[in-house]
């Protein structure tokens, strides 16, 4: 089942055009990713910093469909999928909540699992596999 | 009664030292400010962008007492005070929630009310006065 | 001829993993874009804010090949290409300067030209066409 | 002699009010600080991350005098001063370059020197003392 994250657009997300600065959609989706990991019992303090296995983003894609402005309520729907044995991809849909909700952006990130010591690719640890299983389509 | 805002520290808030980058404490406090204005019925979309009266930050101060890291749960306690008839100051206390909660930072901002047309100082509009009364010490 | 922009990686670009936070590659490429527009005589103050024609980013892609850390010297090589009569795409190559230089990331953005009044697509203005001609492959 | 850093205001520095978001003045001043340290031969990659001595910001202050917008050329003048034997303060003046230049902001940060192992205060290392001497008033 996809993970759903709710968020309000903040003044700091915006730029002088009055709308969310396009790189910040990736930042907002990463927040949803962090929240989904925390909910699965993964310790964020070490996951992104000192883990023996790290899972950096290798690729990202985004389609910006509608502008978002300060105060807008949004949802981010996150759906991960296993890629091989040592990576995963995440699809994100950002909706502007309203009557009706409207799709504002679609994003996609790819991640590879790497040993932080040897820098070689390695299998996903069991806690990430459990997180994947929980939220895969 | 002070306004209290809850927040999780995000990966995007941090820097290569592993902790929240110090200018981001101001950003986080501004989020609390936005949330308190929205709760008082003030429309954020126009308040920061097209209002006939704008209330820019003229000064800020911060004391950084404890580092915060990704995943930390925090509260921001916001207390505004009227300054003259055309400005206000806001005190912020950032607590790292835990057992026990610990004060992580103290911040202070000063705001002046200015006509967006004439750029002259002017009295605070009634909705901001109501917001101030609601949360003043 | 491609436009080349030079930049130092700043502490604010990094995250708790000690490297540039991946959305910030888009931010850095946008700086190169701004610099190339300014060099072509386009007034940035109005271009992104009050122009009668706006050219928002509709899509972005990125491949992150090597981490970058605070103090690294980089170059961003920007190559635009016309798409139809009312849009353009930009390819970016980010190199970590050293002996030898190493490709650190490849990015791509797509832009559509829109009337800021009618919100309908329209032909590119002559100053943007001149900018495109100057830097196209 | 003060250190002077030049910079162009970027779109990413701005917010929906069309001007530099106030916490970003601190970010811009930190860039000037980084540049002055690098110029004094201090290795940024380790200084902010893995040094045995770290010098976190303990306090900051800012006065915002004039708005800055995308494309503005600015200078940041940095003047450090020793505080006791284990800390320093830095004064920053941000000027909007033009005819004539105009003071846009004044900022101030305070730093304490701490062992990254024991977390106790300690004397400044010789490379920082040399940097201080070079740029003190």
């Amino acid at each position: 089942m996809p993970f759903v994250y709710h968020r309000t657009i903040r003044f700091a997300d915006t730029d002088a055009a009055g709308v969310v600065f396009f790189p910040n959609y990736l930042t907002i989706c990463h927040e949803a990713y962090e929240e989904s990991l925390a909910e699965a019992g993964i310790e964020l303090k070490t996951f992104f910093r000192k883990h023996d296995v790290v899972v950096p983003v290798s690729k990202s894609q985004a389609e910006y469909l509608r502008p978002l402005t300060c105060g807008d309520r949004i949802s981010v729907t996150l759906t991960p999928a296993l890629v091989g044995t040592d990576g995963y991809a995440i699809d994100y849909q950002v909706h502007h909540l309203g009557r009706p909700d409207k799709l504002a952006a679609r994003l996609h990130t790819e991640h590879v699992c790497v040993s932080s010591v040897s820098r070689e690719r390695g299998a996903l640890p069991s806690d990430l596999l459990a997180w994947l299983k929980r939220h895969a389509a």
Side-chain angles (χ1 to χ4, degrees), chain A residues 36-123:
Chain A
S36 74
L37 292 172
E39 194 225 33
I42 293 171
E43 181 71 38
L44 297 182
K45 210 177 290 287
T46 50
F47 182 74
F48 291 114
R49 191 157 162 81
K50 289 178 196 161
H51 227 242
D52 47 347
V53 154
V54 291
V55 198
V57 179
S58 58
K59 289 185 190 175
S60 68
Q61 283 180 29
E63 278 177 276
Y64 311 97
L65 305 172
R66 288 166 194 281
L68 293 170
T69 59
C70 186
D72 285 348
R73 292 288 309 159
I74 62 165
S75 68
V76 180
T77 304
L78 172 166
T79 314
L82 195 62
V83 175
T85 56
D86 56 4
Y88 49 86
I90 308 178
D91 283 311
Y92 297 94
Q93 292 200 318
V94 179
H95 281 89
H96 180 181
L97 302 181
R99 299 179 196 160
D101 296 346
K102 289 183 178 172
L103 186 63
R106 257 192 295 259
L107 294 99
H108 174 89
T109 55
E110 298 180 24
H111 303 249
V112 284
C113 190
V114 172
S115 159
S116 60
V117 181
S118 70
R119 303 308 296 180
E120 277 172 27
R121 282 165 157 248

Side-chain angles (χ1 to χ4, degrees), chain A residues 5-24:
Chain A
Y5 174 68
H6 287 88
R7 170 80 147 71
T8 301
I9 297 301
R10 301 298 177 191
F11 197 51
D13 299 320
T14 64
D15 60 32
V19 298
V20 172
F21 185 46
F22 73 102
N24 291 342

